């Protein structure tokens, strides 16, 4: 009996090692064939260039949806048919400054990056698919119809922000994604939630609340001044990117507390790592994501910081990630 258990344990270890995240494989699957040596410049277009026509109206509405999401499609809007978001967050809570701030997953260049390979679904996804991914995860809500005015407006706004960039060539645009914290560090050490708690209390609690409750604006469908991070259904769910400790740490390092930038961060890499783990502790309640078990069906391209109890080990939650990243 003991021999069987040992073999089973070794087999599980071998499978886990065999299917470690492989960035090379992900790069191969994400290859769209575009090759260029041209250096791209991160530029935010002037809003004066938005034309005064039907297209311009859609662009402006798209920006409104990003900035004041809860006002138009939040859970407190008067028309029940328009309650697509399940929380009172705004899209720009994560995509800062209406999706224009560099290194905060901005929308500059985004339109030119789709369709693209999506490891979370292991398929080729469209921009509308990606927007709906946020709707179901970060917004803890429901998909928008691809023919809806709201979907078309968001796509139009992202198109306007992406004009001038080569289709398929924006992956080389510096500032379009997130700036990564020290990957050598995260491979060698686990995040420390006790230290993260200290960072949170000193640097984050004044805006997001000592219990992660945020500061809500007065009135219905008016969102938050500073969003809730846990302890309520009014926050991102466990399927959101911000629930992943590495992705959250990457975002935090270059953007939080407010005023931080990639060039002038306020927190160290280790502090961002620790506080990301603290915010996303299992003991901090947040909504579940339906069918999250189906995320990342192919382990070889599964993000190393995806954590699903009974499926992934605790290392996938807080590290160290050295055994998980090939």
């Amino acid at each position: 009996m003991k021999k069987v258990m040992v073999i089973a344990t070794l087999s599980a270890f071998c499978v886990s090692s065999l299917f470690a995240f492989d960035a090379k494989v992900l790069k191969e699957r994400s290859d769209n064939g575009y090759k260029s040596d041209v250096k791209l410049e991160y530029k935010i277009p002037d809003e004066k260039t938005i034309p005064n026509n039907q297209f311009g109206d859609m662009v402006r509405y798209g920006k409104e949806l990003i900035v004041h999401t809860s006002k138009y499609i939040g859970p407190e809007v008067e028309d029940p048919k328009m309650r697509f978001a399940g929380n009172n967050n705004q899209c720009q809570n994560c995509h800062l400054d209406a999706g224009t701030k560099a290194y905060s997953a901005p929308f500059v260049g985004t339109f030119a990056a789709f369709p693209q390979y999506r490891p979370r679904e292991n398929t080729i996804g469209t921009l509308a698919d990606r927007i709906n991914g946020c709707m179901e995860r970060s917004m803890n809500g429901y998909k928008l119809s691809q023919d809806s005015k709201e979907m078309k407006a968001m796509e139009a706004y992202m198109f306007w922000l992406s004009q001038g960039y080569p289709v398929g060539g924006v992956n080389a645009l510096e500032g379009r994604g997130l700036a990564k914290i020290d990957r050598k560090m995260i491979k060698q050490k686990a995040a420390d939630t006790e230290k993260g708690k200290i960072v949170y209390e000193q640097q984050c609690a004044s805006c997001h609340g000592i219990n992660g409750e945020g500061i809500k604006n007065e009135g219905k469908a008016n969102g938050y001044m500073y969003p809730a991070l846990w302890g309520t259904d009014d926050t991102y769910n466990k399927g959101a990117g911000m629930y992943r400790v590495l992705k959250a740490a990457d975002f935090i390092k270059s953007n939080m507390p407010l005023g931080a930038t990639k060039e002038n961060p306020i927190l160290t890499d280790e502090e961002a790592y620790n506080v990301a783990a603290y915010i996303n502790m299992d003991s901090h309640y947040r909504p579940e994501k339906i069918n999250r078990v189906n995320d990342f069906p192919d382990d070889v391209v599964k993000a190393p910081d995806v954590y699903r109890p009974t499926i992934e080990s605790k290392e996938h939650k807080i590290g160290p990630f050295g055994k998980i990243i090939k």
Side-chain angles (χ1 to χ4, degrees):
M1 183 66 180
K2 287 184 178 179
K3 186 177 180 180
V4 172
M5 290 178 67
V6 169
I7 292 172
T9 302
L10 288 173
S11 298
F13 176 77
C14 290
V15 169
S16 176
S17 299
L18 180 64
F19 292 109
F21 169 74
D22 192 331
K24 183 179 178 181
V25 174
L26 179 57
K27 184 177 180 180
E28 290 171 353
R29 294 187 186 182
S30 301
D31 183 13
N32 59 18
Y34 184 92
K35 299 291 184 290
S36 176
D37 296 326
V38 176
K39 177 72 173 177
L40 300 178
E41 181 183 355
Y42 189 93
K43 295 176 67 175
I44 304 169
D46 189 334
E47 290 194 24
K48 293 178 181 177
T49 66
I50 301 176
N52 292 314
N53 56 16
Q54 191 175 14
F55 172 77
D57 291 342
M58 290 295 278
V59 171
R60 281 183 278 269
Y61 182 46
K63 181 182 178 182
E64 267 290 294
L65 286 166
I66 300 302
V67 176
H68 300 114
T69 318
S70 60
K71 177 181 177 181
Y72 298 95
I73 56 174
E76 297 177 351
V77 297
E78 287 191 18
D79 185 354
K81 294 179 181 179
M82 293 300 293
R83 295 172 186 167
F84 289 97
N87 58 39
N88 281 286
N89 287 343
Q90 324 300 357
C91 295
Q92 74 165 1
N93 288 153
C94 292
H95 308 279
L96 302 181
D97 299 341
T100 65
K101 185 178 185 289
Y103 302 103
S104 71
F107 301 138
V108 175
T110 291
F111 195 91
F114 286 86
Q116 64 177 212
Y117 174 71
R118 301 292 304 164
R120 188 166 63 194
E121 296 80 22
N122 194 32
T123 190
I124 303 302
T126 65
L127 179 55
D129 293 332
R130 185 67 187 89
I131 290 170
N132 274 333
C134 280
M135 290 300 302
E136 291 186 308
R137 298 167 186 272
S138 298
M139 307 306 290
N140 192 36
Y142 310 95
K143 290 181 179 180
L144 293 164
S145 166
Q146 295 196 18
D147 292 327
S148 67
K149 178 182 178 181
E150 286 66 36
M151 177 63 79
K152 290 179 180 178
M154 289 186 188
E155 289 181 315
Y157 178 58
M158 294 177 194
F159 175 88
W160 176 74
L161 285 174
S162 304
Q163 290 183 85
Y165 290 109
V167 172
V170 292
N171 288 338
L173 177 60
E174 186 71 20
R176 198 179 77 79
L178 300 174
K180 293 182 178 180
I181 62 168
D182 184 357
R183 282 328 194 233
K184 183 177 180 180
M185 174 193 71
I186 63 97
K187 288 181 179 181
Q188 295 175 345
K189 62 163 46 176
D192 188 323
T193 55
E194 288 300 316
K195 290 181 178 179
K197 180 180 180 181
I198 295 171
V199 175
Y200 184 86
E201 290 173 347
Q202 292 177 346
Q203 300 284 358
C204 314
S206 59
C207 290
H208 296 288
I210 195 66
N211 296 308
E213 69 274 19
I215 299 176
K216 201 168 187 294
N217 294 317
E218 292 184 7
K220 275 195 170 186
N222 202 23
Y224 282 77
M225 182 182 299
Y226 302 109
L229 299 180
W230 77 82
T232 173
D233 284 324
D234 224 9
T235 188
Y236 60 89
N237 66 36
K238 292 182 180 181
M242 203 61 75
Y243 182 62
R244 290 165 39 194
V245 67
L246 296 183
K247 179 156 280 194
D250 292 342
F251 174 84
I252 289 166
K253 174 66 189 302
S254 294
N255 296 288
M256 293 289 136
L258 285 177
T261 63
K262 177 183 180 292
E263 296 75 19
N264 295 289
I266 294 173
L267 303 180
T268 65
D269 286 24
E270 186 174 358
E271 287 172 333
Y273 186 37
N274 291 337
V275 79
Y278 172 71
I279 290 168
N280 289 305
M281 286 174 60
D282 287 342
S283 58
H284 288 164
Y285 169 79
R286 72 180 65 259
E288 296 286 344
K289 165 67 175 70
I290 296 174
N291 295 326
R292 187 163 70 97
V293 68
N294 297 325
D295 288 356
F296 295 97
D298 190 343
D299 283 350
V300 75
V301 290
K302 179 174 71 66
D305 53 344
V306 172
Y307 172 64
R308 296 166 293 196
T310 74
I311 299 177
E312 279 84 29
S313 71
K314 198 71 172 181
E315 286 177 309
H316 289 81
K317 181 69 174 172
I318 61 171
F321 293 90
K323 295 178 182 178
I324 301 170
I325 301 174
K326 189 171 182 179

